[in-house]
Amino acid sequence: LVQPHARHLVLSKGRNCIECCFIRSFLFDKRTGYVGDCGDGLSAAEKATMHFGVHMMVRSVLLYLGLLWIPCRAFVGTPRLMKRRCGDASVGRAEGQPGEGDGKPERIRPSLRLPDVELSCVNDNTMISSRELFRERSGVLFAVPGAFTPTCSEKHLPGFLAKVKDFRKKYMDVVACVSVNDPFVMKAWADQMGIKDEVLMLSDGNGEFTKMIGMEQDLSEHCMGIRSKRYALIVTQGGLVRWVGEGESAFAEEVLEQLSVLRMILIHNANSRTTFALRGGRDMASRKGVLPES
């Protein structure tokens, strides 16, 4: 069954295939000397057998090298992984503060922690650290390109203001709005929107926080200078970012939907860990704090 197929390869490919080049370069026949065009001087059966054998040998070597490359990559790693293992603070930090270690901040993404930057909270005229804000609380942090701008004043901020109770039901203790505006502008905007303490209004006047998470944008063509992009973050205790939404995904309805999805994932993971532990004979009755009770 094999030989006719191999002979077909010999007749069809001839001297053009890589295996034939391999034969001509490295194989010799004792009777005829140097093997020329794919086994000159050999019978058809011998040609077919030799050709098929070399085909299989070359493919086996290539497969072996390909399989060998996988553990080599895992052990040696790409430059990004090597930087991570060497402790480069600018790439893939376990503690994950964007914007440390090099001149170009890393864009905020899930599994990173918020940078430690002082922001002005205009609700009570105090300064608060972005890390301290979520030290023992979970919440939503959303950003707007500018106070008093049409979309921000008509849809983005009012949407979160109307859904504050829904966020509280999903155990989001903090709902905060940040913008690259000075504290006086943010205070006037909060007063106009009738905000007291439902939503924390944070001023990132110098844009330091926005730049450290890689969310700045240049709106100079609109005479607005460097501003923040429109985004929303779901942040858990300790300042760990769980979800990032930009543009249309940064509005309140989308964030609530993502919270429901994220909670289902956390419940599934918690149940899986509990099942695994019970199968191992451990008593999980004393385990607390995996998720709040529904």
Side-chain angles (χ1 to χ4, degrees), residues 26 43 63 111 120 124 128 135 141 150 166 215 256 260 286:
F26 298 101
S43 66
L63 178 61
S111 78
S120 175
D124 53 6
I128 186 170
R135 182 175 297 277
L141 177 66
D166 295 330
M215 283 295 187
L256 282 171
S260 300
S286 61

Side-chain angles (χ1 to χ4, degrees), residues 144-290:
V144 296
F148 294 104
T149 55
T151 304
C152 303
S153 298
E154 297 171 6
K155 182 178 179 180
H156 202 176
L157 180 57
F160 279 93
L161 187 59
K163 300 288 185 179
V164 167
K165 292 184 179 180
D166 295 330
F167 284 110
R168 296 286 191 267
K169 291 178 182 179
K170 294 184 179 296
Y171 305 98
M172 295 290 102
D173 303 314
V174 178
V175 178
C177 173
V178 62
S179 179
V180 183
N181 287 109
D182 64 75
F184 302 102
V185 171
M186 290 294 288
K187 176 63 174 175
W189 193 34
D191 292 341
Q192 186 192 65
M193 301 297 295
I195 297 175
K196 295 182 180 179
D197 56 358
E198 304 91 344
V199 177
L200 295 182
M201 304 295 287
L202 305 176
S203 167
D204 183 26
N206 297 325
E208 182 180 359
F209 173 80
T210 302
K211 292 176 182 178
M212 287 192 69
I213 63 174
M215 283 295 187
E216 77 277 8
Q217 62 175 333
D218 190 356
L219 297 179
S220 299
E221 60 181 5
H222 301 292
C223 301
M224 298 176 67
I226 302 298
R227 294 299 183 99
S228 172
K229 293 182 179 179
R230 190 183 307 280
Y231 66 87
L233 310 176
I234 296 176
V235 187
T236 53
Q237 293 182 8
L240 183 63
V241 177
R242 293 291 188 177
W243 178 82
V244 180
E246 295 184 51
E248 294 295 325
S249 299
F251 292 104
E253 295 78 7
E254 179 67 21
V255 178
L256 282 171
E257 182 179 346
Q258 292 298 325
L259 275 172
S260 300
V261 174
L262 184 60
R263 179 171 173 78
M264 290 175 62
I265 295 174
L266 292 175
I267 290 175
H268 173 75
N269 292 341
N271 290 339
S272 299
R273 289 195 299 269
T274 303
T275 303
F276 175 78
L278 289 176
R279 287 178 179 175
R282 300 177 185 176
D283 182 13
M284 297 296 294
S286 61
R287 182 171 183 170
K288 298 180 180 179
V290 175

